[in-house]
Amino acid sequence: MPRNAAEPSNWRTYLVTQESVSNGRSTLEIVREAIAGGIDVVQLREKETDARWRHELGLELRELTAEAGVDLIVNDRVDIAEAIDADGVHVGQSDLPVAVARDLLGPEAIVGCSAATVEQAHEAEAAGADYLGVGTIYGTTSKDVAEYKDGVGPERVAEIADAVSIPVVGIGGITAENAGPVVEAGAVGVSVISEITAAPDPRAATESLAEAVETAKGVGDGEGTE
Amino acid sequence: MPRNAAEPSNWRTYLVTQESVSNGRSTLEIVREAIAGGIDVVQLREKETDARWRHELGLELRELTAEAGVDLIVNDRVDIAEAIDADGVHVGQSDLPVAVARDLLGPEAIVGCSAATVEQAHEAEAAGADYLGVGTIYGTTSKDVAEYKDGVGPERVAEIADAVSIPVVGIGGITAENAGPVVEAGAVGVSVISEITAAPDPRAATESLAEAVETAKGVGDGEGTE
């Protein structure tokens, strides 16, 4: 299934699509801008929309992402992932189990799983997940780095990254301003909806996010900030 | 994929599951009773529940229905149908297109489609549907046969059954009391949720529905009522 040996360990910036927060712009337009800004992977999510619409959008996203060498993942629906030849799926704790998705998609596809606890992370890894989406990191959308009320916080990323050997992506309330601690805690990258989708300039927002991740990686590797 | 050459033209009674209207009984319990009452096909629907739950329920339904030689169809989710080895899927106008479901499941699986108009019926047949669910027949749940305010009525079944060569099942507001005209109009059978699921005795309700269909078929074939 994978078009170009998609590899989660290379994901720095991960866009989850949701047209409803795009201020009237289409998801295609947002994804085009994110690609121009260097996004590494796009997840077709669009919760609250029907499968017919998501399938049509997915075919267009596949074309865009394939041209750009960007990975494409489908949230929840293994059938849509198969139908649009996505690189894989991302399942949550109430979606099809990781092992079922793996069985349907085969060994080459990427199967990602949401994990909020170390136990869920262990279970997903044992079932064959290729990466974990850990969160919600920041429970608020506050720009204040120190504030993550109702979120699991970067500390949970550190716990989970220590506990498993597959890549971890932080998710939930992440911005260019607060991405650093998530990456320093051990995430390979960060996943966002609003930070890119609701931004006045989604391309610039993607670039800023990528820069924040790279800067934090420098810190994490002990090479100092760039 | 089909376990026993499931054949929509043999379907007289078709149960669509929805635990939320079962008055506290489990879908498994309702399906067991429906099987005892002679149901021909069960569709796993359970809208408003998550995929993980539906997958687990589907595995149990597959076991029950396979033992009984009853066909099992999954609503909307082609991936769940594949995962539980169902006989096929039923897609609506906002689900994955018939042709996509067919492509994913292969030529042997049953693919059904909802159609409210002759145009939708033609389109579904051309795309490879094996049967049509036509409705909503009766827009109210009134027991009065003559009343189907806001429904397409048995007349639409007649129009569609004349227009296509695949079997038609009536759906929406159908009871043992008002099933007759639907079958006389050309439906091979009738599909229900509440008539069986909300019944005090789901087994007896299934038997009554089957009897109503058989009686109408007698009339339709010009053999008189039984």
Side-chain angles (χ1 to χ4, degrees), chain B residues 97-110:
Chain B
V98 166
V100 171
R102 168 68 64 213
D103 191 48
L104 292 173
L105 291 175
E108 302 297 316
I110 292 178

Side-chain angles (χ1 to χ4, degrees), chain B residues 117-118 121-122 152-164 185:
Chain B
T117 65
V118 170
H122 273 137
V152 299
E155 294 83 351
R156 186 63 52 81
V157 170
E159 284 177 60
I160 289 177
D162 279 352
V164 299

Side-chain angles (χ1 to χ4, degrees), chain A residues 133-145:
Chain A
V134 171
T136 304
I137 302 293
Y138 301 111
T140 72
T141 52
S142 166
K143 297 279 181 183
D144 182 346
V145 178

Side-chain angles (χ1 to χ4, degrees), chain A residues 50-52 55 76-80 82-83 92-97 100 104, chain B residues 50-52 55 76-80 82-83 92-97 100 104:
Chain A
D50 63 46
R52 173 106 17 140
H55 173 252
D76 176 24
R77 300 277 306 227
V78 175
D79 45 6
I80 296 179
E82 283 189 278
Q93 293 292 321
S94 57
D95 298 333
L96 284 175
V100 171
L104 292 173
Chain B
D50 62 48
R52 174 113 9 146
H55 173 252
D76 176 25
R77 298 278 305 227
V78 175
D79 46 5
I80 297 179
E82 282 189 279
Q93 294 290 323
S94 56
D95 297 332
L96 284 175
V100 171
L104 292 173

Side-chain angles (χ1 to χ4, degrees), chain A residues 45-58:
Chain A
R45 187 162 181 261
E46 307 288 343
K47 284 275 182 200
E48 318 302 328
T49 67
D50 63 46
R52 173 106 17 140
W53 190 81
R54 264 178 285 166
H55 173 252
E56 284 168 18
L57 174 60

Side-chain angles (χ1 to χ4, degrees), chain B residues 128-154:
Chain B
D130 295 301
Y131 78 92
L132 299 173
V134 171
T136 303
I137 303 293
Y138 301 112
T140 71
T141 54
S142 168
K143 297 282 182 179
D144 181 347
V145 179
E147 183 182 340
Y148 43 91
K149 191 164 158 281
D150 302 326
V152 299

